[in-house]
Amino acid sequence: MFRTALRNVLAHKARLLMTVLAVVLGVAFVSGTLVFTDTVGKAMSNQSAKSFDGVAVSVTSYGPSRNDEGVKEGEPGISQQTLDKIKALGGVDSASGRVSGFAAVGDQDGKLIGTGWANTGANFVPLKDGKDPRYAFTTGNGPARAGEIALDQETAKRGKYAVGDKVRVADNGPAKEYTLTGVFTTEDGAVNAGGSLVLFDTPTAQQLYLEPGYYGELSVSAKAGTTADQLLTEIKPLVGKDAKAQTGAQLAAEQAKDIEQGMGSMNQMLLTFALISLFVGIFLIYNTFTMLVAQRTKELALLRAVGANRGQVKRSVLAEALVVGVISSAIGLIAGVGLAVGMRAAMGAFDVKIPAGPLVVAPVTVIAAIVIGVVVTMLAAWLPARRTAKISPVAAMGSAHLPASSKSLVLRNSIGGAVTLLGLLAILGGAIAGKDGRMLIGAGAFFTMIGIIVLLPALSRPVIAAVRPLLEKAFGVAGKLAAQNAVRNPRRTAVTAASLAIGLTLVTALSVLGITMGKAIDRMTTDNLRADYKVSMGQSFGSLDPSVIPALEKAPGVKAVSPQQAGDFKVGDGDSYRSVSGVNPATIGQLLNFDVISGQLTNLAKGEVVVAEKTAKTDGLSVGSPLKVTFPDKKTATLKVGAVYKDMEGMLSPYVVDSRILDQHDEKPYLREVLVKMDGGPSAKGEQALVDALGKNPAITFATQQDIRNEMGGMINTALNIMYGLLAMALIISVLGVVNTLAMSVYERTQEIGMLRAIGLDRGRVKNMIRLEAIVISLFGAVIGVVLGTFIAWAVGETIKGSIPNYALEIPFDRIAIFMLLAGIVGALAAMWPARSAARLNMLTAIKTE
């Protein structure tokens, strides 16, 4: 029986090709994901470990802590005195202090070089030989005094800087010019992530990022004969409670674990889409084996007649699936390795640097690829094999195509209806539950999709019957025959349409949610923001220096300026901190469109607090209510509620106070952004005045209302495009399913097509019949997917609308129309080969075919 199975595989190579390709695509996606994440993670871990070469002990400062009264105790970092004590230890060979923070480098035109969040600055620490072991200089040397810097090689190349040039560098305030003394190479992770690295002399770096005489971390190397653990024991008592000492090996292992966790989220996302592709592939494999078995019923019946029992017949079909699965898995694994190499190269094309390292193909990747490929193929082939084993030899010899019994169809439809109803109720329940119902919606969506897939044979007849008159009217006999053929075998039509339905359910749900959130954000910007410019640190997401406020106020053409300062305090006897915004009471009304429900916004200037409507209702507050608050420094105050305003989530915190109140309780206030209104509105001249006022800082961005809309819309569109790209694999497999179904259908209807040709149906109409059949099946699946996807998107939207102001469901009919058009095109393209094969059949030979 096993030899028979092998011969059947070889005898049906062309028909099994689509199945092999479907499994190969799914396995390639899984194995490619595992190889890519393992390779990148290993390279980053090796790079991280390399940066700790020669480091026996590392000490990291947490900064001063607050006592029970809220007063900061301790030093801002590791003092020079502590460093000197560590250097004096007998087992220490060398010890260096490090300090780092944000630093932006502008090119010759003043534009930011590198990715904002990865642009860093640090101090150059020469050892006894005058070199810093972390950096290898290609030209020049490290900075020795104030006003000098060194740049990493890539940044110097992008900015077209050479030793001796003047370079504009900034942190979160006005930019300053420095003289470039050297260019170096480094294994620093920020540089490899596409950022820049600026080296200052130590006093300058301390002044910028900490305080003179203090360091953020120490690197200690040991003398020969002294172990890292011995040195760690001696160093720990010297560093105090506000710093953590650990060996270089421990720190490297800790960072490797962080890298692994960071790669884990990417791994899970990619694997999710890979599993979706495999799930779609199950329908293609199931359809293929169902049709192959149907064509071989007489052959299988003959095997039964000569002594093969049901188990042997079943196992022979499963053996075919096993062979197909093993071959597909092996090819998929090789393709996956190639995909990982391609993904790594693509990251470089997008200017995302990945450290050099070997390709990692872990044993678990090989095992996963083979197991997944074989299991998916065997699982999909199990039901056709089981059904085949139940056919009696006499019945199989007498009929090549046995219809499903009415009992089995009733049972199938009953089960499908029950599962679909259960899923729909779960989705509705999740929508009603709000933000706590997302898991319920996810489970409901899964069961609804399974239930509809089971019901698709029953749904196909009425749905396709509804469009039959249109097809007949537009295409005549070819359209009528296409509609009839599409429902001739409803199970086959359903399985083929199911793969498209799954893909379009996900694509539609993502599109509806993405477009809806984009519109909500757009309305939020339009309705709430009156300022002409939002000034912020852009990609670095850091705090602006307070000096930018007076600098902007003095800029020509500026009408109003207000900070958007972020802070927090505890309310009443609560243990959790609440978010609070600090603003300029005199100007904030000109910059944000407050919808004051009660009270007066001008009460902010009296030291009163303005509260968002939802928070006021939750906390039982109204105008005049006392609000007892506790600030992070443990100091308390009782603020009076001066006004209640309609929520502006995303723009303002639920509590708003004069920024001077927050300044009293925070030594380093977090200035998230500054709002600016100009005389005459936004203009190129006005923006340049703001840029000049802040010393042409390349890291600071000046966004108009349209810029904000474009940025948010761009982010949403980018996310959607990534999702579309990942789901494309599932849709490709769906196309293969349509091709496979039509090819098998043409094979089974060879005699029928010959008869149609004999009575006058020309080749063009035969082609149209096959094409229209494919388009009908594709559009049937697309309609199911679009309807279900929109429903799921609505339910998910009900769980998030409370946290997104102005949320209102937006159905992107233009995109949905494109999806439907693409589904029709998919059907037409998939039908090209089967239609051509059908049209080229010799009618006399076809008529004689059994």
Side-chain angles (χ1 to χ4, degrees), residues 16 174 311 337 378 400 440 579 614 637 753 833:
L16 288 170
V337 173
M378 297 282 283
L440 188 59
S579 173
K614 290 180 182 177
I753 292 170
W833 172 56

Side-chain angles (χ1 to χ4, degrees), residues 424-683:
L424 291 174
L425 290 175
I427 294 173
L428 286 172
I432 294 170
K435 64 180 181 180
D436 298 322
R438 292 168 194 167
M439 293 295 291
L440 188 59
I441 290 175
F446 176 76
F447 283 110
T448 302
M449 199 173 293
I450 295 298
I452 287 179
I453 289 169
V454 175
L455 278 177
L456 279 178
L459 292 173
S460 64
R461 289 186 182 276
V463 172
I464 295 176
V467 299
R468 178 177 165 182
L470 296 175
L471 291 173
E472 190 171 346
K473 186 176 180 180
F475 300 98
V477 175
K480 180 179 180 179
L481 290 172
Q484 289 176 337
N485 289 329
V487 294
R488 173 183 292 186
N489 191 329
R491 287 191 177 188
R492 182 185 302 169
T493 297
V495 173
T496 305
S499 55
L500 273 171
I502 293 169
L504 281 173
T505 295
L506 297 171
V507 168
T508 303
L510 291 171
S511 297
V512 172
L513 283 172
I515 298 299
T516 299
M517 288 192 290
K519 294 286 187 182
I521 292 169
D522 187 69
R523 283 192 294 269
M524 180 180 70
T525 303
T526 305
D527 295 347
N528 298 330
L529 190 63
R530 299 174 67 182
D532 294 319
Y533 291 99
K534 184 181 76 171
V535 182
S536 67
M537 290 299 295
Q539 294 180 351
S540 70
F541 306 108
S543 170
L544 288 163
D545 189 88
S547 64
V548 304
I549 296 175
L552 289 170
E553 289 174 335
K554 295 175 184 176
V558 171
K559 183 178 179 181
V561 174
S562 174
Q564 278 271 56
Q565 189 169 320
D568 49 35
F569 51 46
K570 293 179 181 178
V571 176
D573 298 324
D575 294 329
S576 60
Y577 280 94
R578 305 280 192 92
S579 173
V580 56
S581 292
V583 300
N584 183 344
T587 59
I588 192 63
Q590 303 175 57
L591 300 163
L592 290 178
N593 191 20
F594 275 88
D595 185 355
V596 178
I597 297 169
S598 59
Q600 297 291 329
L601 189 62
T602 54
N603 289 333
L604 277 171
K606 302 176 184 179
E608 297 179 4
V609 60
V610 174
V611 185
E613 182 183 18
K614 290 180 182 177
T615 302
K617 288 181 180 178
T618 303
D619 294 352
L621 300 173
S622 60
V623 174
S625 298
L627 184 70
K628 183 183 177 182
V629 299
T630 303
F631 293 95
D633 61 0
K634 306 299 181 183
K635 292 181 180 179
T636 60
T638 300
L639 305 176
K640 182 181 176 182
V641 176
V644 175
Y645 73 96
K646 191 173 181 180
D647 293 63
M648 282 193 280
E649 294 180 49
M651 285 284 181
L652 276 178
S653 299
Y655 300 95
V656 183
V657 298
D658 188 331
S659 60
R660 290 173 293 186
I661 293 176
L662 297 180
D663 291 342
Q664 297 170 13
H665 303 280
D666 197 341
E667 295 176 5
K668 294 184 177 180
Y670 185 82
L671 189 54
R672 183 164 58 94
E673 59 195 31
V674 176
L675 301 178
V676 181
K677 192 168 186 63
M678 309 291 292
D679 287 324
S683 65

Side-chain angles (χ1 to χ4, degrees), residues 9-26:
V9 171
L10 296 174
H12 300 96
K13 293 188 291 292
R15 295 174 206 167
L16 288 170
L17 179 61
M18 299 297 179
T19 299
V20 170
L21 191 53
V23 181
V24 165
L25 289 173

